Amino acid sequence: MNITGVIQGVGFRPFIYTLAHRHGLTGFVCNSSLGVEIEVQSSSTDDLDRFCYSIESELPPLACINSLNKIQIEALTEESSFHIVESLTDNENPETFPIIPPADSSICNDCLSELFDPKDRRYRFPFINCTNCGPRFTIIKKLPYDRSNTSMQKFALCSSCASEYSNPKDRRFHAQPNACFDCGPQLTFEPGSYNGEEALAKAIKSLKKGEIVALKGLGGFQLFCDATNSSVVAKLRLRKHRPTKPLALMLQDIDQAKKYCDIDTTSHELLSQSKRPIVILKKRNKFALADNLSINSDQIGIMLPYTGLHHILIKDFGGPLVATSGNLSEEPIACTNNEALQDLKLIADSFLMHNRDIVSRYDDSVAYCVTNKPILLRKARGYAPDAINLHFVCQKNILALGGHLKSTFCMAKGKQAITSQHLGDLDDIKSIDNYHDVLEQYQNMFKFKPDILARDLHPDYASSRLAEQIAKELNLDCIPVQHHHAHIAACMTEHQLTGTVIGVALDGLGMGSDETLWGGEFLLCSFDSFKRLAHLAPVAMPGGTLAIKEPWRMMLGFIDSFEKESKNKFEPFLERLKHNENETKIALVQKQIDSSLNTPFTSSMGRVFDAVAALLGVCTHQQHEGQAPAELESLARPHSNSNIQSYDFDLIETDSVNQINTQAIFTGIASDITSGLPNGLISFKFHQTVKKIISKTCHQIRLSTGCSVVCLSGGVFQNRLLLQLVEEELTMSNFKVYFPSAVPCNDAGLSLGQAAVAAHSR
Ligand code: ZN
Ligand code: ZN
Ligand code: FE
């Protein structure tokens, strides 16, 4: 019998061993490069059937079966017992990736109860783990997953740990990171070089004093501070250069989380599963924590502790903690003790560290739920890497390098694709170096050699340049893939769609095939091609990227595109702007627009949200990416049951492409503001309008093409209010609606989409 899936490094062989003994079967089990091979001998087919049934129904917690193939063979030798034999060293299969162990997993319940059992030999041992839990890819240097190939290699097992490790009946049989106080990693605290329990006590004291503690977590350093203390939160924001972006919290358990957030069943499951992502939740109306944790937002990210160290820390501290990544704004998180002591010295007051190396950087993953579906926004610790099964075959090995923001890469081979963890924005040299390192590590680890490369159509993305460079070095082809085509292809791949779909790709910006900036696109899409059937009417983006940071510029861009009579309606708003912005600056921007100097045009939906936020006076300067739309969403949510209608908009047919003109939306908003309608209602009315634009355009496309399958993707759909409204509306109109959930809808999903498009290119 051959089994494939996540079945190595999860206690699968001892599980089979135990099962075989229970069913009175003889034979053996071993790992191979293709999965796990089992040979069982029995004269009774009933016994064999029961055995197979038990395999699937009693799987170890971290195991997951992809395929189970049985063949009947003649027994060459009669086995007298059942045993675990050494790994088979068979030839590698060129069509599949080597077997991938599971990603890092939070501490399991068995380990957790040992952790707080004073009689257990691992009582309060921060690095406790077993076959069913603990670190994986954060400590793996190369495959196969053996202790000698991890950063646990330097810790020689003591005799107690060694006997657990070699006993198939023990929960720690072949638990590669197995350790205890006698043989495992040790905590240290700086300043002062304290160890063990003293180090912990010092860290707690530091937190209680209102200080910021840098803690060496699983995939990198995290910054912790008291979540009830707004002055330490303010200090953290200032030092980390993170003025507004919400900070995540670590709470002791679900009950504590319920005190501060509304938690639906799906979010509950998501929070407590072993992957332990940060889950974005709605704050309770009376939110009794520091008010500067999430500013102008009704949401906050919550995670539960996932290592022994986290559990001890939060229990000893006894209250909610801020837990945010240990980096300076968007740089990669600090990984080594020296890196942390150097890079975080101006942020953290103290450091709780240890001597187990983090081999690979992994941020915390981020997810939320929409209509009872979990949706991943950032795929990192606990989720990556994993193999995605493809419903098509890649004839060549494809390496797709993704986008520029929220970068990831994807390796595809045969019927599988592996995407990297979130590697951040490629704006600084540290991030680009990290991207490079992880790419090299993956290629070595998964023994992957590309035959062809894929990249974004934008030639100046750091990832595009790297793709071209690799292609040149290896003398390979490099396929540019249009940004929004890739967004939709990623969604199609996740949901295993074939044929043609209506792709609604709404995002910030991506280069279009006409070399202008797209972002409000309705595409008739298949994997091998797409046709742009409708889009938002392009408007000026004065100052280019500066217009993204400063939505008031975008507002001027929109106003400029309107007819003369409509423009007059905005006089009072321009007057208001003059009070808040430097007048010469405004004049300069106007001049920029008039002379088309550094003023590209864009059809982006993200920019419409920005300009609306500026018009409402909600957000004229964005301190972090997506701030303006997030604030609009928060304002609108309390009104989501109101029966307010929508603003008008025009669909203008030109040749075969429809353009959506937003002038009437903006004039409508302007008169609503003047007549005193509250911002929340206006914002909800605007959300309703975007929904209507999408549904009306999809109806039109269905009429002309007969296609009724819709894929929604692009960063704009990180707005869960909008996603929910659109999904409901389209489903009600008998569209079959898909949106990415296992793959992020933002630019982190591009690499998978690029790989899928490249696989279909001829
Ligand atoms: Zn465990
Ligand atoms: Zn030990
Ligand atoms: Fe995008």
Side-chain angles (χ1 to χ4, degrees), residues 499-529:
T500 306
V501 304
I502 303 172
V504 182
L506 308 181
D507 66 358
L509 295 175
M511 183 179 273
S513 349
D514 58 1
E515 295 194 5
T516 69
L517 298 170
W518 293 5
E521 312 305 313
F522 295 82
L523 312 172
L524 194 66
C525 250
S526 58
F527 282 114
D528 55 3
S529 65

Side-chain angles (χ1 to χ4, degrees), residues 99-117:
I99 289 297
I100 309 174
D104 298 65
S105 157
S106 77
I107 181 172
C108 71
N109 286 335
D110 290 330
C111 286
L112 189 58
S113 48
E114 288 171 1
L115 182 68
F116 292 118
D117 174 5

Side-chain angles (χ1 to χ4, degrees), residues 107-108 110-111 129-133 171-172:
I107 181 172
C108 71
D110 290 330
C111 286
N129 68 82
C130 72
T131 329
N132 301 327
C133 73
R171 201 172 91 244
R172 295 192 167 90

Side-chain angles (χ1 to χ4, degrees), residues 228-387:
T228 60
N229 178 342
S230 51
S231 59
V232 67
V233 173
K235 187 162 76 179
L236 176 64
R237 286 198 175 282
L238 191 72
R239 291 182 182 175
K240 205 172 132 70
H241 302 307
R242 184 166 163 148
T244 49
K245 201 172 166 185
L247 294 162
L249 297 178
M250 187 177 277
L251 300 178
Q252 197 164 354
D253 49 31
I254 282 278
D255 288 333
Q256 199 180 53
K258 279 183 183 159
K259 275 196 207 160
Y260 305 108
C261 296
D262 295 337
I263 303 179
D264 57 283
T265 342
T266 319
S267 300
H268 186 138
E269 279 166 24
L270 203 54
L271 271 172
S272 22
Q273 61 166 239
S274 66
K275 294 173 186 297
R276 286 288 150 93
I278 295 173
V279 181
I280 296 177
L281 297 164
K282 203 188 145 298
K283 292 193 281 192
R284 298 206 115 189
N285 288 340
K286 272 198 183 141
F287 184 72
L289 294 175
D291 54 3
N292 47 356
L293 290 171
S294 77
I295 299 161
N296 294 342
S297 167
D298 64 343
Q299 311 194 100
I300 193 155
I302 303 275
M303 68 183 135
L304 299 184
Y306 49 87
T307 66
L309 181 55
H310 287 145
H311 274 281
I312 298 171
L313 188 83
I314 202 150
K315 194 162 187 249
D316 288 1
F317 180 74
L321 288 167
V322 172
T324 187
S325 38
N327 58 357
L328 197 64
S329 51
E330 300 296 328
E331 285 183 358
I333 40 175
C335 233
T336 67
N337 294 355
N338 285 339
E339 226 169 27
L341 290 168
Q342 185 55 39
D343 297 356
L344 305 178
K345 67 176 178 223
L346 298 178
I347 305 179
D349 299 296
S350 59
F351 297 81
L352 185 57
M353 306 181 288
H354 56 73
N355 55 347
R356 184 179 76 200
D357 296 335
I358 296 170
V359 174
S360 231
R361 248 177 260 272
Y362 281 82
D363 289 89
D364 289 316
S365 295
V366 181
Y368 66 44
C369 297
V370 171
T371 54
N372 300 323
K373 288 183 201 87
I375 294 182
L376 263 186
L377 297 177
R378 183 161 85 194
K379 188 173 168 180
R381 179 202 30 90
Y383 287 90
D386 70 340

Side-chain angles (χ1 to χ4, degrees), residues 483-484 487 506-510 714-715 745-747 750:
H483 191 97
H484 303 94
H487 270 309
L506 308 181
D507 66 358
L509 295 175
C745 68
N746 55 47
D747 285 5
L750 290 175

